[in-house]
Amino acid sequence: RTSHALAIKALDEYLEKEEAHLAYEQQAIKAYEALQLTGMHVGHDELKQWANSLSSTNPKEAPKCHG
């Protein structure tokens, strides 16, 4: 490969990662705005208990949002 081809590949990979990062940030902003409007959320402890149950023989249902 030429140095030009390697540079283009590196730039493409960088841009792909940046686009994914920006999409993640936009999703987080929308989630925060929805929380501010509705107050609906799932607490950390609720989520942690559910996640821990997934490896058990009797996994719990995913927690529901509440206000």
Side-chain angles (χ1 to χ4, degrees):
R1 290 188 173 175
T2 66
S3 59
H4 179 73
L6 291 174
I8 289 174
K9 182 180 178 193
L11 183 57
D12 285 344
E13 289 174 2
Y14 171 78
L15 291 174
E16 187 176 308
K17 287 179 185 177
E18 281 300 303
E19 288 171 355
H21 181 73
L22 289 173
Y24 176 79
E25 284 184 348
Q26 287 299 317
Q27 182 183 10
I29 290 168
K30 286 180 182 178
Y32 180 73
E33 289 171 347
L35 172 64
Q36 294 299 306
L37 286 173
T38 66
M40 300 295 284
H41 67 282
V42 173
H44 179 263
D45 289 337
E46 296 167 291
L47 191 60
K48 188 176 177 182
Q49 289 174 9
W50 168 73
N52 288 339
S53 80
L54 294 178
S55 61
S56 73
T57 56
N58 190 20
K60 296 180 180 182
E61 264 190 55
K64 305 280 188 240
C65 289
H66 53 84

